[in-house]
Amino acid sequence: MEKSITVSIDDRLVKAQPGQTILEVARSAGIYIPTLCHYPNTTNVGACRVCVVEVENARSLVASCCMPVSPGMVVRTNTPAVRAAQKMIVELLWASGDHNCLTCEQNGSCELQDLIYWLKIEKPRFPIEPPGHFPDNTNTMIYRDLNKCVLCGRCIRACNEIQVNEVLDFSNRGSYAKVGPAFDADYIDSTCVFCGECLQVCPTGAITFKQAKFGGRPWELSKTRTTCTYCGVGCQMDLYTKDNKIVKVMGNRQYGPPNEGSLCVKGRFGMDFISHPDRLKKPLIRYAKNEDFKETSWDEAFTFIAQKMQGIKEKYGADSIAGLAS
Ligand code: FES
């Protein structure tokens, strides 16, 4: 391990490893620096500049998510210049989109909304001019409203670096810039596999869970960690429920392996079978060929299975029976 170095952050001496960013060191010391475009396990791109800090002898404010620490570095995270820059950035983001929290599905779970509140901004100094994009409402799983996009690029990096699907990227320039699949296609007409990683990392209401629309406000939902029931990988997921019904599913990042918070299309969007009226809830037995299935009790079903297996064992020997559990 390389020798640790010492830096000063807000007049506190903090130990750091060479190569760590200011943001990483500050967070490990419990010092809060706001972020928007930064997302764990993806490249730091320094797109939003919300994480700016003052570094002694630097010519300008620096993006703490991208700047590595150096020995003796003196950092200040809460000076008037830092707060003024953060306010300006957030006000510009607010003004350049349609951040209407009244109808936004992410109200109460939006990082832009949290930042506005934390910075005590009552309204932007600039006229609000949303870009006027048409929402992508062409599939049953993901709803995209790019008028709420802050161009942080988290969905692009999640798609390309975490899921390695390489569907999303920026197109156009300046105030015309937008995120989407190649040739501006809707998700349904692109190579998107609907893993929903973009939805999971989006900090605003730009990419949301379509099945969850009007299903419940974030503060009305209960969160339960569980294991996906589809394949044998054992992906960890959080079920968000209201009135005993699943509203949406997110990958659980805290647990770590095997999925590190990612999910596939079935795990994320295929859980509606749980409360489907046709769901099988009692065992069914067909006693003879060409007979219909009959509803039965678990006791009767297990007795039936045991008798059948006993019969196979007696007729063909124990080696004729194998089990596979997942
Ligand atoms: Fe550092 Fe966006 S979080 S530039």
Side-chain angles (χ1 to χ4, degrees):
M1 196 152 112
E2 284 185 77
K3 239 175 116 192
S4 65
I5 57 177
T6 303
V7 296
S8 162
I9 306 182
D10 294 344
D11 299 323
R12 274 177 57 189
L13 292 180
V14 182
K15 287 256 178 278
Q17 292 302 315
Q20 278 189 299
T21 63
I22 296 173
L23 179 68
E24 285 171 329
V25 177
R27 286 198 170 167
S28 65
I31 298 168
Y32 178 66
I33 299 175
T35 57
L36 201 54
C37 69
H38 168 79
Y39 196 79
N41 301 329
T42 66
T43 310
N44 287 318
V45 291
C48 73
R49 320 307 278 187
V50 162
C51 68
V52 286
V53 294
E54 260 183 41
V55 173
E56 214 164 85
N57 299 324
R59 287 197 308 183
S60 59
L61 298 177
V62 301
S64 63
C65 69
C66 295
M67 175 64 88
V69 289
S70 55
M73 188 181 241
V74 177
V75 179
R76 291 195 184 84
T77 69
N78 58 6
T79 66
V82 168
R83 289 290 177 264
Q86 288 167 332
K87 278 188 176 171
M88 173 69 82
I89 293 160
V90 171
E91 285 179 59
L92 285 166
L93 289 175
W94 183 355
S96 59
D98 176 25
H99 300 290
N100 181 356
C101 303
L102 285 177
T103 56
C104 182
E105 212 40 55
Q106 287 303 101
N107 183 11
S109 182
C110 168
E111 293 180 36
L112 181 66
Q113 189 184 56
D114 291 347
L115 262 175
I116 289 169
Y117 195 80
W118 185 77
L119 288 166
K120 302 186 179 75
I121 304 170
E122 289 188 10
K123 56 180 169 196
R125 280 165 276 179
F126 316 103
I128 294 178
E129 290 175 355
H133 296 302
F134 289 108
D136 174 4
N137 194 14
T138 51
N139 66 83
T140 56
M141 292 168 268
I142 297 175
Y143 183 83
R144 282 194 314 144
D145 181 359
L146 295 185
N147 298 301
K148 294 181 175 11
C149 175
V150 290
L151 297 172
C152 64
R154 274 162 52 162
C155 56
I156 296 174
R157 282 172 280 133
C159 181
N160 296 344
E161 298 177 21
I162 297 178
Q163 291 282 16
V164 203
N165 286 333
E166 302 188 336
V167 175
L168 298 177
D169 209 338
F170 288 112
S171 60
N172 301 336
R173 292 285 177 272
S175 57
Y176 297 103
K178 62 194 282 199
V179 174
F183 309 114
D184 217 5
D186 293 329
Y187 271 19
I188 199 75
D189 297 317
S190 73
T191 52
C192 174
V193 295
F194 289 94
C195 65
E197 193 78 21
C198 55
L199 173 162
Q200 172 130 353
V201 305
C202 179
T204 67
I207 311 178
T208 49
F209 211 104
K210 193 161 172 189
Q211 294 161 6
K213 204 164 172 58
F214 301 123
R217 290 302 201 181
W219 57 87
E220 296 174 323
L221 306 181
S222 314
K223 182 167 111 174
T224 309
R225 181 166 74 81
T226 189
T227 304
C228 182
T229 51
Y230 275 107
C231 73
V233 170
C235 291
Q236 297 301 297
M237 52 168 56
D238 292 320
L239 303 182
Y240 288 80
T241 53
K242 186 182 171 201
D243 302 333
N244 233 7
K245 288 226 168 66
I246 294 175
V247 174
K248 64 179 176 181
V249 180
M250 292 288 177
N252 181 292
R253 293 218 182 276
Q254 284 76 45
Y255 188 81
N259 55 316
E260 306 280 354
S262 297
L263 291 173
C264 73
V265 61
K266 288 193 281 182
R268 190 172 315 268
F269 298 109
M271 290 297 162
D272 42 356
F273 75 89
I274 291 170
S275 41
H276 196 280
D278 292 346
R279 183 179 171 193
L280 196 60
K281 294 187 187 125
K282 295 216 172 106
L284 304 175
I285 295 183
R286 181 155 58 194
Y287 286 97
K289 221 174 170 183
N290 302 328
E291 243 186 39
D292 281 344
F293 280 110
K294 287 197 181 61
E295 212 172 76
T296 186
S297 67
W298 285 108
D299 275 353
E300 193 178 340
F302 283 124
T303 306
F304 183 74
I305 293 166
Q307 284 167 351
K308 286 284 174 192
M309 301 230 339
Q310 190 66 32
I312 292 168
K313 188 177 156 201
E314 279 161 16
K315 197 165 172 193
Y316 302 105
D319 284 352
S320 62
I321 299 172
L324 175 67
S326 167

